[in-house]
Amino acid sequence: MGTVIVNPQVTTGQISLEMPSKVYGLSKSMFMGRADTLKIYRVLMEFPISMIPEHCTILKATLKIYVQFAGTRILSSFTPYGLQEPWSPLTLNWNNQPSFYSQISGDTLHFGREGFYSFNITKLVSKWYQQEIPNYGLIIKNNEVEKGTLKRIT
């Protein structure tokens, strides 16, 4: 039994409640979380899995991000959820953001400081690979209740 390591090209997008019709386009550095009442940000990511050979068993899938700015360093919980609809970084904004599966997610992580963090997204990738749900990517968000949870990621 061999191991397949896949590092696909990632498409990213950011949306903001503060500017609900703004299209941020392609960006490698984005905000997520809540700064204050209207400054709520979410990050979307999509990556192909077609390079995974047929008849594989997905043992582990991780999404590694780097928190480059932690703000007030309030410990903040973020979760990646599977998306239910297609999207494009060239047209994506808060008003047209795709819906997501609230029950199909990766593991929740708690960010407090700058550094690398790895989400376990095995459940999501397995569902995409088995074609149980379409691969439209994922959205990373927190509960968006507490102010000061804003983080900048790459």
Side-chain angles (χ1 to χ4, degrees), residues 95-116:
N95 291 332
N96 69 10
Q97 66 181 292
S99 57
F100 61 91
Y101 298 99
S102 61
Q103 300 302 314
I104 302 174
S105 68
D107 288 351
T108 299
L109 292 181
H110 308 285
F111 302 160
R113 302 187 146 280
E114 292 81 7
F116 283 101

Side-chain angles (χ1 to χ4, degrees), residues 44-68:
L44 288 80
M45 296 183 181
E46 184 177 20
F47 32 90
I49 61 166
S50 58
M51 69 286 296
I52 301 175
E54 288 186 28
H55 311 296
C56 282
T57 301
I58 308 294
L59 300 176
K60 184 176 183 181
T62 57
L63 171 64
K64 190 174 186 178
I65 64 171
Y66 182 75
V67 174
Q68 64 183 134

